[in-house]
């Protein structure tokens, strides 16, 4: 597995999400967010760490049949990010806000408040 390639992909996913160039959606499973591409999708979610009493952030790459072709946890990325948990948590939060339309909700509430 090439964690280096995945780390680079995560950086681009974060940048595109921050720029509003990437759209995320909540899947049928609450708390799992997905960005779709022509033949693949990436999913982000929080999951229990099987070895510790903590949670990890997990990225899955799925093919167009929905099969997981690759999975990486923040704990797999310690060689590529100073704080991989924080990086993945921040990306997850960006994806969640994007999928749930948080900015649009805030804008609408502000319009109502300022009337």
């Amino acid at each position: 597995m090439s964690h280096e390639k995945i780390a680079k992909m995560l950086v681009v996913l974060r940048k595109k999400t921050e720029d509003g160039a990437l759209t995320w959606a909540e899947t049928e499973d609450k708390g799992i967010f997905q960005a779709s591409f022509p033949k693949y999708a990436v999913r982000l979610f929080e999951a229990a760490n099987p070895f510790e009493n903590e949670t990890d952030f997990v990225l899955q790459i799925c093919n167009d049949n929905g099969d997981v072709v690759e999975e990486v946890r923040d704990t797999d990325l310690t060689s590529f990010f100073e704080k991989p948990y924080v990086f993945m948590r921040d990306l997850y939060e960006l994806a969640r806000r994007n999928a749930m339309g948080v900015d649009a909700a805030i804008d609408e509430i502000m319009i109502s408040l300022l009337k």
Side-chain angles (χ1 to χ4, degrees):
M1 165 176 20
S2 175
H3 287 154
E4 182 177 2
K5 277 183 150 180
I6 290 174
K8 288 177 182 178
M9 182 183 71
L10 285 164
V11 170
V12 176
L13 285 170
R14 182 174 174 163
K15 177 74 172 129
K16 295 283 187 181
T17 303
E18 288 172 336
D19 293 347
L22 184 60
T23 302
W24 292 83
E26 189 170 24
T27 66
E28 62 279 354
D29 297 316
K30 190 172 179 70
I32 299 178
F33 301 99
Q34 177 172 298
S36 297
F37 302 93
K39 293 184 180 182
Y40 297 93
V42 292
R43 292 182 184 156
L44 264 175
F45 57 94
E46 192 171 10
N49 182 315
F51 304 108
E52 298 179 21
N53 201 15
E54 300 174 353
T55 59
D56 291 337
F57 285 94
V58 180
L59 173 93
Q60 291 179 334
I61 300 172
C62 302
N63 63 21
D64 54 3
N65 292 326
D67 301 320
V68 176
V69 297
E70 187 63 274
E71 179 176 290
V72 64
R73 291 174 173 263
D74 59 81
T75 53
D76 297 324
L77 301 169
T78 56
S79 297
F80 306 101
F81 298 106
E82 184 177 335
K83 296 179 180 178
Y85 179 87
V86 173
F87 184 90
M88 294 281 285
R89 181 197 64 204
D90 292 350
L91 177 56
Y92 174 85
E93 186 60 23
L94 285 167
R96 184 194 68 77
R97 290 177 60 87
N98 180 289
M100 302 302 286
V102 172
D103 288 335
I106 292 169
D107 291 345
E108 187 172 321
I109 292 167
M110 286 299 294
I111 288 168
S112 295
L113 288 171
L114 296 174
K115 284 184 178 180

